[in-house]
Structures are given as C-alpha cells and as structure tokens.
C-alpha cells in the first residue's frame, strides 16, 4: 500500500502530443526528487549523509509509485568506500572517491578535499535546481535538471560558484553523472578520422573506464560526444537503452566506468586534461549541458527520441506556434568546392550557377577561394575581402545572377583561422594561440586565432557582420580546418591561461548568436573539415552540419548510418559529387549517388557544367521527387532496416512522417554475391489499419506487388524488390502515401 505523503507536485509543460505530460515532484518526507516525462522517470534523493544519490532512471513509473528514500550503498570491503559505491549525482573529489569525480578543486591553501551535500532546491518551469554546498568551504554547486514532456530527455548541467575569499582552481568540472545498476551492457559510441567519421563502435561494458574524448579544443572527428548503453546485446528495435549527448564544442570527455561492484556510471563535461579554471571570489562557472534519455525500443527508439528532441528543442529557427514546432527542411544546395577547389572566378561560378538552377537547386554556395590572396591553402585566411582579380566588381554581379536564377546565395568562411601569409597575421602576430618564444605548429598552413581574447572575438564578429551587411548572403558555411596546438594565451597570468578551454568555444557560440541576432535571415552550417564540429552545443546556433569531406556515396551510407544514431537527418548535408570519386576511385552511377545523398539534406557538389543532358534530366527529376518527400525523410521517424555495417551486402532505411501519412524507403545493394536477391523488407511504423499506395521514386518493386495495401501488409508481408535489382552499388527508393479507403 502506498504511503500518503505531502507531495509537492508540479505539472510541467504539456507537449505537442497532448497525452505527453511531464511532472516534477519532491517529497519532503523521503527527500526524494522525481522527474517524469515521455516514457521515462528519473529519481534521486538526499541520503542520510546528505549526498545527492541517484535512485532510478528508466521506464516511466506510475504516479502512485513512491520510490523509497536514498540509502548509501554498502562497502564490500574496506577498499571500496561507500562514498565511491554510492551513485552520487555530482560527486566532489574528496572523502574516499575512487571513481571519476564530477568536480575536482584545489583551494588557495592547498586543500583538495571537496565533499558536496544537499543544501536546498527550487522548482523551475520544467524541472529542479538543486543546490549542493561544500561541507566546510564556501563552494556551492547548483545542479539544473529539466525533462522534456514528450521524449523524457533530461537536460542536466551545473553552475559552480566560489564564495571563498580566495580564488580556487577547478581541475575537473563535469556537467552531470549518470548511473546504471549492475547488469551486462553494450556501449555504443561514434569514432572516426578525417574523411572517415561516424563509425558506430560497439563493445561490452567491462570493469574499468572507457574514455571518449577530444583534447583538441573542438569536438573532433575522432570521437563524438554521444553514447548509448544497451542492456544486453545491441538491438535496433528492442531492449532498454540509456543514451546521452554532451552539448560542448570544446575539449570534452565522457567516461563510462564499471566499478568494482559492477555498477556503471557515465560522467561527462569539460575535458579535465590540461584543465584549470581559476574561479575568483564571487565568480561562477557554468558547465555545458549533458542530455540523457531512455528508450525501451532499442537503439532505433533512442535515436528517434534524440532526433525529435533536436528538431523541437535544440535547433534554431523552429517554426510555428507552441510545442512541436520544427525548422523547415533545408534548401537543396549547390556547393562549388569539388568543382573548382581554389580556382574560383566570377565566370566559372556563374556557369555553375546557371546549371544548378536548371537542376532545380534552391541555394548556390561559393566555397573556399574567393577572398584575400587565396589561390591555395597557403595564404589568405584572415583577409576577408573579396579578391579583386577574381571578382573585379565584388560579389554583387555573381549574387545578382544567382538571385535572378531563382536561388539564394551562400558563402564559405573560416573565421577562426589565419594563414601566416596574410595581412591579418602580419598585423597581429600576437593574436594566435601560442606559448611565447615557442614554435607554433601549423595545420594546413594555418594557425588558430585566439578567440578567447575579447579583441579577437570582436574583430571576427565585425568582419562577418560587415560581409553580411555588404552582400546579400543567405547562408554561411563556417569551416574550421585544424585542431589546437600550443594553446597558450600569453596575455593572461600563467595560472589563468587555461581559461582558453572554456572562453574560446563560448565566444564562438557568442559570435554565432550575435550574428543570428543581427542577421536573423542568415542560415549557418557548421563544418570542420567535414564532421569535426558536430555536437548539441553548436547545433543550438547552426541550421545544418557538414558530416564529412568524404562524399563517396558508398562510404556515405555507413557514415550516414552512424551519424543518425546521434543526430537528425535534417542537419545531415549530403552532396552528389563526381564519379570516379576522388577519395576511393570508385565508379558509381548518378542515380546511386543521388539516392545515397537523398537520405539526408540533399546537395550537389559535382562539376555540373560537364553533366550530359541525360544526367541533368535525371538529377532534376530526382530533386523534384526529393522535394516532395523531403520533410518525411529528414524529419520523420527513422528506422534503420538493414545496416550497411560489417560488410553487409545490402542496406535499407525507412522514414515515416509523424502523422504516418507518408513513408520513404531507400534500398541499396553494395555487392550482389552468389546471385542473392535483395531481402524482403518488413516495413515499420505505419498505421496497420490504413491503406498505403506504393510509388517508386527510383527502381521497381517485384512484379505482382500490390499498388495499394494496408500498413499491416507492408509491415508483415513486406516489400520486395524487382528480381532484376542486382549488381554492385545499386540503389532504389519508394514512397508510400496513405490513401483514402
Ligand atoms: C574543408 C571542408 O570540409 C570542405 O567542404 C571545403 O569547404 C574545404 N574545407 C575548403 O577549404
């Protein structure tokens, strides 16, 4: 029988889906806090020692369920320490903590012991703020919790405040720690390299720590700040999955640990490597947000929740009133990079623009090479004036031509970098990250401007603002082509210089935010030599990302598969480029290249002036077909039906619009072997009672396939490909439209 307690219940916002409600409750009797949203409950409490202890994270509990008060975990032996085995919401490094701390501090007097206890809390609009105080010193941490009514995704972060009379140095500051009870788990995470981002890596969670991180000053291609932990073996459709994503575009770290008693915790935030943030008396440091969610429907369920959350809560320019508003599908773009590289001229760009318009492209983007003395990658970065030899009359004639062709105009910039061979560097050699007197390492012949400095930040903002004021530009492709080295900031006293890890990314966000404020119509892409800066931090300020410089349509299938575990296809730009491809020398048909790119937000990046009339007609037809189903593809519920990973001969994806009125299926043969035909596809997520008409976009279904059948048919009997669908690097696409009975 449930105990009657004086509950403080706050009914939080109601989502677009009227049945989805969130609530935040605090029981003063048991000192238990509970957040409910979507199909998720998250519960923590104050234990008798005063620590904030996680109690439950998983499927939604009944409103009548009362979670018992927090009791510290036991020690098996004197070597364990209950301070370690108790899953604290935000543990200070002190007492007997042998696992990853959330916060590690050195005080002015040399004390490094930090123990945080519950002090107070306030209910907020969509969750709680809970204050922890150090047991003796004047350090407090406010933990922020919100929950989304529809997805149950939590947003957690911390504000650390120094109320001591002396400065303290923060050596480690996490956004949050998540805990799971002992069980067999599989960890999924994303790894890669330049031109090889988005590899889904999976392994059994084992004793010890698996560290996912970037020490590079930005998000990085090598690992992405996302994780998913599944109970048991990985499964797309079934089983419990706990997942998280860190909203930070600087050096970051997520540590997944299994402790000596088999419990698992995941701690993430600023990367503690080389970290040392001096907090002066009265100052605060806000951590990034660490999002976390739960799905009972496998990895597919987890990514569908994340996609929806990004569309409805993270991305800018959400349209329409109230909850459920999402950004518009992206314009189909043309980008000049792979067509011209640095060999940019007014006439050449105009020729490309004319052809792009004939294809039905919405936006023409001129990439690198238009500014300063930029003839190659050895010069010009930093000098954001239009190159007078390439564009004797400025950008206006080209932009006017693009407009008169019915497209808007976008421009490439890389504002955080400078080539030593540039006017900017000659004028301000002290503006780059460096340790005085030490050599400065270059990457792609460039140095990193120290955007943590207010003067450099202001300069970059004004330069970009000027470009946007002087030219009718609808879109900026914002690139970033190297990682930090020698990250000194010699204008600050030595012990303060590590602020760069916090101030630089925050100033990048600040510039993006201010540019958007001054130029609300301008859209922005985050690019970092491909997918080196994709995370939920930057996605608050940009409309799309460039996932990889690898535009090979076959490699992209696996990359796009990996990408969608963490991020919505809405932001996943994908271009159709040349065949044979410059990277893998692979030859593919234009239809295959188009279909591969149509799985995300479509772009064209080939030298289209060389395309034949047939190629032009094919691309134009598929762009028209894409426009008709784009919203379903990039904003619907994604089902990865057959994975392209692990040498699979086939792959397939399906998206279903939110109202289940439309579905789009993509099928790909990587390599037909031993004459095997494409497997029958049992579709997912349709309304079983509704009828759906099958409309081929490219390719044919097997002879005898009914033109109209119920959702139940397509999901149980399935969709079969034409028997002639064979070969290597083949693709097909179909739409299913709900039809009236
Ligand atoms: C790297 C980007 O990822 C490419 O798309 C292109 O913009 C080049 N930089 C230009 O230098």
């Amino acid at each position: 029988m449930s105990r009657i307690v004086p509950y403080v219940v706050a009914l939080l916002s109601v989502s677009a889906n009227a049945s989805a409600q969130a609530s935040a409750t605090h029981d003063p009797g048991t000192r238990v806090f509970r957040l409910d949203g979507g199909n998720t409950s998250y519960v923590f409490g104050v234990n008798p020692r005063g620590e904030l202890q996680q109690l439950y994270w998983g499927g939604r509990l009944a409103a009548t369920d009362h979670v018992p008060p927090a009791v510290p975990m036991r020690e098996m032996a004197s070597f364990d320490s209950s301070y370690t085995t108790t899953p604290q919401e935000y543990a200070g490094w002190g007492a007997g903590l042998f696992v990853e701390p959330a916060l590690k501090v050195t005080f002015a007097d040399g004390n490094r012991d930090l123990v945080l206890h519950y002090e107070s809390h306030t209910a907020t609009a969509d969750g709680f703020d809970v204050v922890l105080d150090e047991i003796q010193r004047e350090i407090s941490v406010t933990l922020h919790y919100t929950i989304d009514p529809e997805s149950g995704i939590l947003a957690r972060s911390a504000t650390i405040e120094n109320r001591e009379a002396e400065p303290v140095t923060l050596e480690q500051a996490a956004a949050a720690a998540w805990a799971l009870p002992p069980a067999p788990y599989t960890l999924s995470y994303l790894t890669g390299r330049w031109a090889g981002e988005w590899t889904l890596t999976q392994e059994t969670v084992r004793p010890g720590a698996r560290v996912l991180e970037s020490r590079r000053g930005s998000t990085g291609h090598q690992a992405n700040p996302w994780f998913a932990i599944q109970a048991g073996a990985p499964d797309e459709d079934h089983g419990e999955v706990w997942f998280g994503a860190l909203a930070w575009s600087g050096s970051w770290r997520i540590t997944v640990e299994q402790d000596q008693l088999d419990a698992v915790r995941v701690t993430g935030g600023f990367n503690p490597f080389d970290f040392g943030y001096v907090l002066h008396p009265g100052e605060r440091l806000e951590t990034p947000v660490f999002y976390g969610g739960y799905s009972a429907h496998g990895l597919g369920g987890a990514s569908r929740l994340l996609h929806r959350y990004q569309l409805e809560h993270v991305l800018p320019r959400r349209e329409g009133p109230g909850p459920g508003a999402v950004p518009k599908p992206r314009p189909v773009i043309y980008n000049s990079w792979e067509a011209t590289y640095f060999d940019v001229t007014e006439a050449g760009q105009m020729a490309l623009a004319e052809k792009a318009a004939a294809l039905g492209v919405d936006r023409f983007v001129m990439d690198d090479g238009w500014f300063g003395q930029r003839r190659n990658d050895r010069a010009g970065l930093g000098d954001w004036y239009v190159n007078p030899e390439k564009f004797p009359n400025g950008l206006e004639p080209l932009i006017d031509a693009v407009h008169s062709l019915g497209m808007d105009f976008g421009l490439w910039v890389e504002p955080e970098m400078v080539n030593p061979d540039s006017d900017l560097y000659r004028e301000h050699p002290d503006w780059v990250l460096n340790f005085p007197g030490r050599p400065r390492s270059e990457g792609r012949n460039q140095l990193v401007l120290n955007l943590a400095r207010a003067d450099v930040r202001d300069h970059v903002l004004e330069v970009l603002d000027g470009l946007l004021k002087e030219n009718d530009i609808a879109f900026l492709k914002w690139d970033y082509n190297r990682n930090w080295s020698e990250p000194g900031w010699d204008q600050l006293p030595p012990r303060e210089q590590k602020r760069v890890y916090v101030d630089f990314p925050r100033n990048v966000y600040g510039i993006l935010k201010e540019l958007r404020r001054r130029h609300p119509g301008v859209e922005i892409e985050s690019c970092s030599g491909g997918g080196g800066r994709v995370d939920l931090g930057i996605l608050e300020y940009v409309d799309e990302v460039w996932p990889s410089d690898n535009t090979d349509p076959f490699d992209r299938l696996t990359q796009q598969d990996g990408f969608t575990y963490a991020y919505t296809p809405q932001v996943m730009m994908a271009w159709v480029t040349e065949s044979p491809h410059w990277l893998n020398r692979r030859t593919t048909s234009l239809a295959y290249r188009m279909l591969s790119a149509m799985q995300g937000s479509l772009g064209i990046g080939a030298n289209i002036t060389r395309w034949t009339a047939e190629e032009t007609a094919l691309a134009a037809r598929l762009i028209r077909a894409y426009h008709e189903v784009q919203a379903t593809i990039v904003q619907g519920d994604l089902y990865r039906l057959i994975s392209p990973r692990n040498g699979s001969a086939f792959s397939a994806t399906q998206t279903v619009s939110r109202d289940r009125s439309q579905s789009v299926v993509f099928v790909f043969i990587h390599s037909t072997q031993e004459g095997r035909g494409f497997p029958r596809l049992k579709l997912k997520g349709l309304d079983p009672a509704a009828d759906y008409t099958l409309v081929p976009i490219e390719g044919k279904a097997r002879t005898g396939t009914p033109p109209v059948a119920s959702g139940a048919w397509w999901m149980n009997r399935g969709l079969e490909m034409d028997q002639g669908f064979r070969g290597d690097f083949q693709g097909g696409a179909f739409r299913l439209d709900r039809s009236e009975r």
Side-chain angles (χ1 to χ4, degrees):
M1 221 174 66
S2 60
R3 225 158 46 87
I4 307 296
V5 288
Y7 256 50
V8 179
V9 180
L11 183 63
L12 304 178
S13 45
V14 178
S15 79
N17 168 1
S19 63
Q21 288 187 341
S23 67
T25 59
H26 170 244
D27 176 351
T30 55
R31 308 179 91 190
V32 168
F33 295 83
R34 175 169 159 181
L35 292 150
D36 298 290
N39 292 321
T40 302
S41 294
Y42 189 86
V43 191
F44 55 93
V46 183
N47 71 25
R49 291 198 298 245
E51 296 150 4
L52 205 62
Q53 180 177 340
Q54 198 249 42
L55 295 173
Y56 176 77
W57 183 23
R60 189 161 180 157
L61 305 173
T64 48
D65 290 328
H66 296 300
V67 176
V71 178
M73 304 295 270
R74 69 199 172 104
E75 302 171 349
M76 283 269 292
S78 59
F79 299 97
D80 286 340
S81 160
S82 168
Y83 191 75
T84 287
T85 55
T86 299
Q88 293 188 55
E89 286 288 287
Y90 202 84
W93 186 72
L97 191 75
F98 304 125
V99 288
E100 194 70 14
L103 187 62
K104 184 176 182 314
V105 169
T106 295
F107 290 87
D109 63 358
N111 169 42
R112 305 194 308 280
D113 184 52
L114 181 84
V115 177
L116 298 168
H117 281 180
Y118 169 84
E119 165 59 27
S120 62
H121 72 273
T122 46
T124 58
D126 41 11
F128 287 114
D129 280 351
V130 182
V131 180
L132 309 179
D133 273 355
E134 213 292 322
I135 52 176
Q136 291 176 339
R137 299 299 182 95
E138 295 300 319
I139 291 281
S140 80
V141 179
T142 304
L143 303 182
H144 310 286
Y145 293 86
T146 69
I147 191 159
D148 172 39
E150 188 159 4
S151 63
I153 289 182
L154 292 130
R156 293 181 55 192
S157 63
T159 305
I160 303 145
E161 184 176 355
N162 178 17
R163 295 197 301 262
E164 297 262 291
E166 301 285 333
V168 298
T169 304
L170 310 183
E171 284 146 5
Q172 190 154 352
W178 307 93
L180 295 172
Y185 294 110
T186 308
L187 170 68
S188 298
Y189 55 103
L190 292 162
T191 56
R193 58 180 182 275
W194 174 79
E197 306 88 335
W198 313 112
T199 302
L200 186 74
T201 303
Q202 297 183 310
E203 65 198 26
T204 303
V205 175
R206 298 203 180 281
R210 159 63 72 192
V211 173
L212 316 175
E213 66 171 352
S214 159
R215 298 180 174 194
R216 301 162 179 268
S218 64
T219 324
H221 303 72
Q222 296 72 16
N224 190 268
W226 166 86
F227 74 90
I229 294 179
Q230 178 146 23
D235 190 298
E236 275 296 302
D237 301 309
H238 306 105
E240 294 193 290
V241 175
W242 294 262
F243 57 93
L246 193 60
W248 187 235
S249 315
S251 290
W252 58 273
R253 187 162 102 180
I254 295 176
T255 306
V256 181
E257 281 172 296
Q258 188 186 80
D259 72 16
Q260 72 276 16
L261 302 183
D262 300 334
V264 171
R265 76 197 72 188
V266 182
T267 309
F270 297 120
N271 194 327
F273 177 80
D274 199 34
F275 196 76
Y277 192 94
V278 178
L279 210 53
H280 292 276
E283 278 185 353
R284 293 168 185 197
L285 175 65
E286 306 242 349
T287 72
V289 175
F290 200 174
Y291 295 97
Y294 165 83
S295 168
H297 304 287
L299 290 163
S303 60
R304 286 187 288 278
L305 290 178
L306 258 176
H307 295 174
R308 183 93 336 239
Y309 188 82
Q310 289 158 17
L311 288 166
E312 291 183 3
H313 300 281
V314 179
L315 287 168
R317 216 182 298 283
R318 300 188 291 273
E319 310 233 322
V326 298
K328 278 201 211 122
R330 309 299 308 138
V332 171
I333 64 132
Y334 177 79
N335 179 288
S336 66
W337 175 243
E338 292 194 26
T340 60
Y341 294 103
F342 297 100
D343 193 10
V344 169
T345 61
E346 188 180 280
Q349 295 293 306
M350 283 195 184
L352 287 167
E354 268 171 37
K355 198 72 195 270
L359 292 174
V361 160
D362 307 306
R363 169 171 292 165
F364 182 84
V365 183
M366 179 162 65
D367 210 282
D368 200 348
W370 58 269
F371 55 92
Q373 293 307 309
R374 188 74 167 168
R375 288 189 187 81
N376 48 47
D377 64 14
R378 291 191 293 281
L381 281 181
D383 300 340
W384 299 106
Y385 62 86
V386 181
N387 180 294
E389 284 106 57
K390 297 181 182 186
F391 296 93
N393 302 307
L395 295 180
E396 210 178 318
L398 173 62
I399 296 179
D400 286 350
V402 166
H403 288 166
S404 66
L405 289 163
M407 299 177 289
D408 66 22
F409 181 79
L411 194 64
W412 180 94
V413 290
E414 189 175 1
E416 296 150 272
M417 300 287 170
V418 67
N419 287 118
D421 185 0
S422 67
D423 296 344
L424 185 72
Y425 183 76
R426 283 183 281 274
E427 211 177 309
H428 298 287
D430 57 324
W431 275 13
V432 297
L433 287 179
N434 74 109
F435 293 109
R438 303 280 310 165
R440 298 166 176 179
S441 313
E442 293 178 12
R444 207 195 192 199
N445 310 301
Q446 61 199 51
L447 297 164
V448 185
L449 287 171
N450 184 359
L451 253 82
R453 288 173 55 145
D455 51 356
V456 180
R457 177 200 62 198
D458 294 347
H459 169 82
V460 168
L461 174 63
E462 293 317 317
V463 163
L464 293 171
D465 184 46
L467 256 182
L468 295 177
K469 275 191 190 130
E470 283 155 27
N471 302 284
D472 194 350
I473 293 171
F475 168 81
L476 287 179
K477 173 175 173 180
W478 181 305
D479 208 344
Y480 182 88
N481 278 302
R482 61 160 294 185
N483 294 130
W484 295 5
S485 54
E486 305 104 9
W489 179 357
D490 61 328
Q491 288 74 31
L492 292 191
R495 65 185 289 243
E496 308 264 350
Q497 290 189 10
K498 292 178 180 173
R499 283 182 74 98
V500 71
Y501 287 108
V502 175
D503 292 5
F504 188 125
R506 289 252 151 94
N507 281 349
V508 174
Y509 293 157
I511 295 170
L512 286 165
K513 191 172 174 188
E514 180 58 17
L515 274 183
R516 298 196 80 110
R517 194 190 66 75
R518 293 188 196 174
H519 305 277
V522 173
E523 300 185 341
I524 303 173
E525 174 180 278
S526 172
C527 170
S528 171
R533 191 154 58 186
V534 182
D535 58 78
L536 291 189
I538 204 86
L539 281 179
E540 269 185 53
Y541 304 100
V542 300
D543 303 271
E544 61 184 52
V545 301
W546 181 228
S548 181
D549 276 349
N550 184 349
T551 53
D552 175 286
F554 172 64
D555 280 6
R556 270 292 177 114
L557 295 181
T558 321
Q559 292 186 298
Q560 291 171 177
D561 173 79
F563 184 98
T564 59
Y565 280 89
Y567 302 104
T568 164
Q570 161 85 7
V571 300
M572 184 174 77
M573 298 307 293
W575 305 344
V576 175
T577 58
E578 302 287 328
S579 171
H581 192 262
W582 59 267
L583 184 64
N584 294 329
R585 310 306 308 157
R586 181 174 289 119
T587 301
T588 51
S589 69
L590 180 58
Y592 178 82
R593 281 177 274 148
M594 289 289 300
L595 293 169
S596 168
M598 283 162 66
Q599 288 193 311
S601 284
L602 178 63
I604 308 288
N607 190 347
I608 47 179
T609 55
R610 294 205 292 246
W611 278 10
T612 62
E614 292 73 44
E615 287 174 318
T616 305
L618 173 66
R621 173 174 68 76
L622 287 175
I623 289 175
R624 278 196 303 278
Y626 174 76
H627 268 314
E628 284 171 16
V629 289
Q630 183 181 2
T632 300
I633 295 172
V634 297
Q635 298 182 349
D637 284 333
L638 172 69
Y639 297 87
R640 289 172 291 258
L641 300 180
I642 305 177
S643 164
R645 279 175 280 121
N646 307 320
S648 167
F650 312 106
S651 64
T653 59
Q654 183 203 354
T655 39
V656 183
S657 63
R658 284 239 98 193
D659 63 2
R660 299 196 290 178
S661 66
Q662 188 174 69
S663 181
V664 180
V665 179
F666 286 99
V667 291
F668 295 96
I669 298 178
H670 308 167
S671 153
T672 297
Q673 288 165 35
E674 295 153 355
R676 246 178 236 120
F678 199 89
R680 189 190 297 178
L681 281 179
K682 295 195 175 193
L683 303 188
K684 294 185 178 157
L686 302 174
D687 177 354
D691 276 345
Y692 290 88
T693 307
L694 182 73
V695 183
I697 294 172
E698 183 69 17
K700 283 194 291 190
R702 192 184 177 110
T703 311
T705 300
V708 182
S710 67
W713 169 280
W714 299 119
M715 293 193 289
N716 294 313
R717 175 61 172 67
L719 170 63
E720 284 179 287
M721 296 304 120
D722 181 65
Q723 282 183 306
F725 187 50
R726 277 157 204 277
D728 294 346
F729 309 119
Q730 302 295 314
F734 301 84
R735 61 190 273 188
L736 292 104
D737 295 319
R738 189 164 57 195
S739 39
E740 296 307 323
R741 284 232 156 111

